[in-house]
Amino acid sequence: MIEVKNLYKRFGDLEVLKNINCRIASQEVVVVIGPSGSGKSTFLRCINLLEEPTSGDVLIEGVNLMDPKTNINRMRQEVGMVFQQFNLFPNKTALQNITMAPMKVRGLNEKQAREEADKLLDKVGLNDKAHAYPQQLSGGQQQRVAIARALAMRPKVMLFDECTSALDPEMVGDVLAVMKDLAKEGMTMIVVTHEMGFAREVGDRAIFMDEGMIVEEGTPEQIFKNAQHDRTKLFLSKVL
Amino acid sequence: MEVVINSFPVLLMGAGMTILITLLSISIGCVLGLVAGLSRLSKSRILSFFATCYIDFFRGTPLLVQLVIIYFGIPDILKDVQGYLVAALGISPFFKNIPVFAAVLIALSLNSGAYIGEIFRAGVQSINKGQMEAARSLGMTSHQAMRFIILPQAFKRMIPPLGNEFIALLKDTALVSIIGFEELFRRGQLIVGATYEAFAIYLAVAFIYLAMTLSFSRFVDYLERRLRTGD
């Protein structure tokens, strides 16, 4: 479903991604782990072109995002993203945050958008918060609204960029629970995370990155119990 | 005191004119400022270059000088051009002068547009980058993201500096008395010329300006409080 080929990303002299290659199948949950600055987030952001790769190809269902003829706005509708800092629209209620893009981009009318949004709020357990503004919500609640907002575009794949790193520990569980449900429903997911428990439990595949390269990949079982590379072993010994 | 009371209606008419040109200039200035501000933020180098030139010129030179260039300087050039055209083409002269009101409006609008352009730019840049990324990740075009997500948030932050700009411009309108436009200060000057009551009249003029600026800044405070929902 997603294919990344020979992906390079440079910020000035700094090479953040070096020759990344990977394929992600439909309904697969891929967890990306690795130390800070290893390029995990940049890799994720290249998949919806929030970062423009320096070179290489990113294909989603066979459509190459790097092709200048590709309508990138159209492609981004297929790729939902959840950010570390939530990035909810502060001047809109939870409900409006969710209905905004379906109305403006998918062209739904308000009633349709509301019906869908209500279902999504239900799904993330926040139907009583529909009319709350983001600042009235806890971090965990904001992040769940953000997940609902991304799902409202009916994406085929969801990208999670360290989406629990900015949360109080007690809030993390609620967000992870929503993500587990999504995984069970068969959503294709790429999850950059420091939550190793989640990675082991939910991931179909784990990718370990360091210094802009994929060092090792395999099932979470292989990576966590039987890592082949010293760098992976060292990292895991520190975080587990 | 009597002279102040007697001349008060005339001064108030002047104040009315002061408010009128301030409101008109700010309105046009907002449009110019939006265009200039967004041009400065635009990826197009040419657009951003011209916007920068405009903003630098009108913020970096005195309003008084801009005013006399527009009222005296530009008609001079136009008349020269007209002279050539009349001689070359045999047409009859069609241009005499820029009306005072038009010159005032052009100068004040261009001047406030430059300041407001910077207010717009700063307002837009103050919005967290994550807002644009979130909007784009949902499939919005950069135009939609700007219009539905960034600008509504930025406008709210622009209200206090826009209020300041309004007050600054209102006070600066006194300068247009130099080309004979009869706003509040010019009316005061004319009354002083007739009555020689400089202190009383100019003090009255000052207090009328003060009443206008104070009531406006209270209004801005109120507006700011009302709009303080979410962020």
Side-chain angles (χ1 to χ4, degrees), chain A residues 45 48 50 72-73 76-77 79 81 83 87-92 100-101 104-105 133 135 149-150 153, chain B residues 128-142 144 148-149 152-153 156 228-231:
Chain A
R45 291 159 60 85
N48 66 354
L50 279 185
I72 187 64
N73 296 313
R76 282 194 180 124
Q77 295 176 38
V79 185
M81 185 159 200
F83 300 86
N87 295 343
L88 288 180
F89 308 133
N91 52 339
K92 308 257 183 256
M100 185 94 198
K104 303 295 184 197
V105 182
Y133 285 93
Q135 62 170 13
R149 176 177 69 176
M153 290 306 288
Chain B
N128 189 313
K129 182 163 132 276
Q131 293 288 307
M132 179 59 102
E133 290 184 348
R136 296 307 301 272
S137 77
L138 291 165
M140 289 191 203
T141 62
S142 60
Q144 285 176 319
F148 299 123
I149 306 299
Q153 294 181 57
K156 218 183 279 180
R228 202 177 292 155
T229 49
D231 160 80

Side-chain angles (χ1 to χ4, degrees), chain A residues 197-215:
Chain A
F198 175 87
R200 281 173 91 153
E201 189 187 332
V202 183
D204 296 318
R205 183 152 53 114
I207 291 178
F208 174 72
M209 283 182 70
D210 190 31
E211 295 181 344
M213 289 179 286
I214 293 180
V215 176

